[in-house]
Every structure is written in C-alpha cells, then in structure tokens.
Amino acid sequence: MDNKTLVDVQSIRDSRGIDLQRVGVKNVEIPLNIIQKDGQQQIATVKATLTVDLPHHFKGTHMSRFIEILNEWRSKKLLSIDLEGCLKQTIEKLNASNSYIILQFKYFIEKEAPVSSLIAPMGYNCAFEGVFIDNKYDFFLSVNVPITTLCPCSKEISDYGAHNQRAIVKVKISYAPDQIVWIEDLVNLIESTGSSPVYPILKREDEKYVTEKAYNNPKFVEDVIRDLVNELRQIDIIKWYEVECEAFESIHNHSAWAYQKELIKKNK
C-alpha cells in the first residue's frame, strides 16, 4: 500500500487572480419528499444543482462536499422545506461567501376530467430555488403549466371554426420564506388564464366541453400574460414574479410568445 501523502490540490493557491461566481455540482439525481397541499408526501426524482463562489486564490472547490451536504439534508427530509439552512451549511463547509441551489422535479397532481369526472395524474415541471448572497436569502418557486389557447383573430375573421393550440405558461415567483404558495394553487391559477385547461384523460363528452369552452374564451398570449399578472398582483405574499407564455401555433411555423417580470411594491 502506498503511504504517499494525499495532496489537497483544490486548496493550492492559484495565481491568475480571477474570482469565480459559481462552482459546484449540477444535475445530481436524488429522491426527495415533497409535501403536498393535502399534507401527504410525494416522492420526486430531483435534479439538484448546488454551487458556491470561489475566491481567486483557490485552485478549485471540493466537489464531494456538495454531494455530502445534499445527501445529509435529503436524509433528514429537510431539503425541500429549509433551503436556507442547507445553503448556510454549504457556505460554512466550503469556506464561501454565497451559495445557490435549485431542485428541479416533476410534480404530479390528480386531475379530474370536466364532464366524465375520470381522474388521472398530470405531471408539471417545477423547481425550488434558493440564493444566499451578502447574508440575504431569497426563495423562488417555478411551475410550468400547459394550457389551450384559441386565437381571437381567427375566430373573428372566420365564417366557422378557429385555430387553437397548446401553450406552455412558465411562472417563477418569490415570496417570504416563512410563507407558502402551494404548487396546486399556482397551477389552478395559471390554468384559469388560458382558453381552457389541458387534461391527462378525456372522453368524448369531455372533448366536447373543452372544445366549446376554448371557443367561447379566445385568448392571445398577451391576454394570458395580462390576466395572469392581474392575479399575481392580488396575492399579498408574492414580492416578485417572472412569467412567460409560448403558444405552439397550429397554422404558423413559429411560436407566439409574451413575457413579463415585475418587482411588486406592497403598500404598508
């Protein structure tokens, strides 16, 4: 057995004088318990990214420590509810000044068809994100929701019918860490701003309902974003949001797209 001393190469001094804003691990797959609105837990497969800043005098960071931290917090079942604590520990163990984490996962909600009442699970791409910089912590929740949009112009100018398409609404919000916005509530809010929700299972009577609902509720992507902004502004605990809607046009070889971002200033 070789008794040679193991050199800590990462801690060797670097002479290039360049601070790095983020170094760490990306797309670490771990199982995680996500608390649902009904109090039950859902086990999700998470892709985790955990990083810190790296001062110019260090050659590298200690990658294994990130995995150790993720596994420790996952095992304690605190990772999905205390990102701030995880980030503070990361800073301590890596001798850093700031840290960043994002947990990307598919979240399933049991969804009922509008007429037949058949129920099936529908998955939504979500993310929890935490940033700890200059002793300040910010939390972000992201949700991607498919909707149906029906073109108001097409309906207005056509003798019969109108083109519709599936669209994706992406919402990212920030709120105080001692508050909570449930994924289920945010999904319902987003779906209400489209011409119609999208469902995982539909019988003929459901298809008739969804088709007619969309026809009676035409929406441009601009309408979707404006209606969504109005709703988000009414939620007192939300302090910042970023939203976008991309409609995958059925009669054009491009997407229609709209975007809005706002820091909401609440009146005290």
Side-chain angles (χ1 to χ4, degrees), residues 1-49:
M1 182 175 179
D2 188 355
N3 292 322
K4 187 174 74 171
T5 302
L6 298 178
V7 178
D8 185 2
V9 178
Q10 288 91 334
S11 297
I12 293 176
R13 191 169 188 85
D14 194 276
S15 61
R16 285 165 286 190
I18 299 174
D19 295 323
L20 297 181
Q21 295 167 352
R22 288 184 183 177
V23 298
V25 294
K26 185 176 182 179
N27 290 334
V28 180
E29 292 189 346
I30 55 174
L32 194 65
N33 290 316
I34 308 293
I35 299 176
Q36 302 176 169
K37 185 180 180 181
D38 61 8
Q40 300 296 313
Q41 291 189 354
Q42 182 176 147
I43 299 178
T45 299
V46 170
K47 287 189 175 181
T49 295

Side-chain angles (χ1 to χ4, degrees), residues 2 105 138 158 167 193 204 210 215 244 260:
D2 188 355
F105 57 94
D138 286 306
S158 300
T193 63
R204 280 176 294 178
V210 169
Y215 188 79
E244 66 176 275
Q260 182 81 350

Side-chain angles (χ1 to χ4, degrees), residues 125-266:
N125 291 325
C126 301
F128 296 148
E129 186 175 349
V131 181
F132 198 93
I133 299 178
D134 298 329
N135 292 317
K136 181 177 180 295
Y137 172 68
D138 286 306
F139 172 80
F140 303 89
L141 168 64
S142 298
V143 177
N144 295 354
V145 178
I147 61 170
T148 294
T149 59
L150 185 134
C151 179
C153 180
S154 176
K155 178 179 178 179
E156 182 68 25
I157 66 177
S158 300
D159 291 333
Y160 48 87
H163 79 83
N164 59 6
Q165 49 276 317
R166 186 162 51 131
I168 296 292
V169 180
K170 298 180 180 181
V171 174
K172 183 176 180 180
I173 60 174
S174 180
Y175 50 90
D178 60 339
Q179 302 285 342
I180 189 167
V181 173
W182 294 105
I183 294 175
E184 292 87 344
D185 291 339
L186 189 54
V187 167
N188 288 336
L189 186 153
I190 296 167
E191 289 180 336
S192 71
T193 63
S195 297
S196 171
V198 171
Y199 296 88
I201 183 170
L202 294 172
K203 303 297 284 186
R204 280 176 294 178
E205 58 268 34
D206 299 307
E207 290 193 25
K208 178 179 185 297
Y209 174 89
V210 169
T211 301
E212 292 173 348
K213 178 178 176 63
Y215 188 79
N216 291 325
N217 189 29
K219 292 282 188 80
F220 291 128
V221 291
E222 296 94 330
D223 295 314
V224 173
I225 291 296
R226 284 175 172 144
D227 288 344
L228 184 54
V229 166
N230 276 335
E231 294 293 335
L232 293 175
R233 286 175 174 174
Q234 304 309 310
I235 303 176
D236 289 337
I237 67 173
I238 294 179
K239 60 183 181 180
W240 177 94
Y241 71 79
E242 182 179 43
V243 296
E244 66 176 275
C245 179
E246 180 179 6
F248 306 103
E249 295 287 286
S250 59
I251 65 170
H252 304 290
N253 192 31
H254 60 261
S255 294
W257 186 78
Y259 170 91
Q260 182 81 350
K261 179 171 69 172
E262 182 182 20
L263 174 64
I264 303 176
K265 295 182 179 180
K266 306 292 186 181

